[in-house]
Amino acid sequence: MSNHHRAGALAAADTLVTVTPEQAGWAYSGLEVFDLAAGAAGRVLDGVEGVLVPLSATDVRVTVDGETHTLRGRTGVFAAVSDWIYLPVGSTVEITAASGEVALCTARATERFPVHVTAAEDVPVEVRGGGRASRQVTNIATPDSFTGAHKINVCEVLTPGGNVSSWPPHRHDGIGDCAPTNEEIYYFRMGRLDEPHGHPHGQGLFRVYTVDGSSDETVTVLDGDVYLVPEGYHGPSTAQPEYPMYFLNVLAGPAEDRTMAFCDDPDHHWIREAWAEQGLDPRLPMTSAAGRVAR
């Protein structure tokens, strides 16, 4: 059975996307996407911690256990890097804005850390890879960028049209000699070369294949699609020409020490050595805290 879910397939009564560990058939990672134009969103984080990221909402008010915080947000994922807020285990949360979408990334956790707001200017942005595998990685709540969490890892990847990311193919499934173990959610949004706020007709490709060969799937991903990766090599994520690709990654696993470590497919590991000679795509980075980067 495919782990690829078309836009709308995981919608619930009050969400555009709902992924729980029970739905996914795993133990830790979750995601909800809210359209705040439909009204305020409220949750009690019972046994989970959260990272709230504005996707296309501005002036987002987040009340956590009675204390209100305001996120500046952004008009779209291709428009700017956003500020975000960490939400502790057991907290009661209400989210409001005049309109726009926000993502509540979650992970099953037991340790409680304090609420923390990270300004967009403090979110590390790196350009990774080389040549046509150049992409932007926005490190929201990764082990190196944010230490105040128990299990959750969150990042965003922006790939210019015609480029690939999630490359070389890699895994973190704890199978065999690959010790890192993380369940990973991919939430895709597609753009267009001349539109910084996304485009419903953009498309890309994504491949996932297991070590034992029991599954090998390449799918066309559209704006708003979700892919759940419980195991196996994943990549490349391919952005079609003129249609830049964005995806939000949520990762969590059993290790007490949060990790983003992975194991390359050994058949493709050599590719990393070639990047030094190819240089980086001059279209990157695509966004910053100040907005879309002009080229």
Side-chain angles (χ1 to χ4, degrees):
M1 183 175 66
S2 176
N3 285 309
H4 177 214
H5 301 273
R6 286 284 181 220
L10 297 176
D14 61 346
T15 68
L16 300 175
V17 173
T18 293
V19 177
T20 67
E22 291 79 10
Q23 287 174 310
W26 57 34
Y28 295 96
S29 298
L31 173 68
E32 291 187 286
V33 178
F34 301 97
D35 181 357
L36 297 178
R43 290 290 185 267
V44 176
L45 301 188
D46 185 13
V48 299
E49 61 186 345
V51 166
L52 184 75
V53 184
L55 300 173
S56 59
T58 59
D59 191 25
V60 181
R61 292 168 297 285
V62 187
T63 302
V64 188
D65 295 332
E67 182 177 354
T68 299
H69 309 265
T70 300
L71 300 179
R72 187 171 64 219
R74 57 186 166 183
T75 58
V77 296
F78 296 100
V81 172
S82 182
D83 47 2
W84 61 274
I85 184 170
Y86 173 80
L87 306 170
V89 173
S91 57
T92 299
V93 180
E94 184 175 41
I95 311 154
T96 60
S99 63
E101 299 172 11
V102 297
L104 175 58
C105 312
T106 59
R108 289 268 173 79
T110 56
E111 294 185 21
R112 185 179 173 93
F113 289 79
V115 175
H116 184 85
V117 176
T118 298
E121 293 80 5
D122 295 328
V123 177
V125 174
E126 64 174 305
V127 177
R128 190 179 294 177
R132 286 298 179 182
S134 302
R135 63 274 200 182
Q136 173 181 334
V137 180
T138 304
N139 292 295
I140 295 173
T142 60
D144 290 335
S145 69
F146 181 68
T147 59
H150 184 201
K151 296 285 188 180
I152 197 165
N153 299 291
V154 179
C155 67
E156 300 175 326
V157 178
L158 287 88
T159 309
N163 283 16
V164 301
S165 52
S166 308
W167 188 249
H170 59 278
R171 63 187 176 99
H172 35 73
D173 53 17
I175 295 174
D177 60 354
C178 185
T181 306
N182 271 326
E183 310 153 350
E184 184 168 16
I185 300 170
Y186 276 73
Y187 173 62
F188 291 92
R189 301 306 302 261
M190 299 298 165
R192 203 172 90 172
L193 185 63
D194 57 348
E195 294 183 3
H197 307 312
H199 195 274
H201 303 301
Q203 59 181 281
L205 299 172
F206 185 55
R207 184 187 181 200
V208 179
Y209 56 102
T210 54
V211 175
D212 63 7
S214 61
S215 177
D216 188 340
E217 179 177 57
T218 300
V219 299
T220 300
V221 288
L222 305 177
D223 190 61
D225 284 8
V226 173
Y227 202 106
L228 308 177
V229 185
E231 65 174 284
Y233 293 111
H234 36 289
S237 305
T238 305
Q240 305 294 64
E242 320 309 336
Y243 287 106
M245 171 188 287
Y246 162 97
F247 51 83
L248 175 69
N249 283 149
V250 185
L251 305 93
E256 280 304 310
D257 294 326
R258 293 163 58 225
T259 180
M260 294 280 281
F262 54 83
C263 305
D264 282 343
D265 182 334
D267 290 338
H268 300 292
H269 180 73
W270 66 271
I271 291 169
R272 295 184 182 277
E273 298 177 1
W275 289 341
E277 301 176 359
Q278 296 174 24
L280 296 169
D281 191 317
R283 294 175 292 177
L284 293 163
M286 295 174 64
T287 61
S288 71
R292 194 179 188 195
V293 179
R295 298 298 179 201

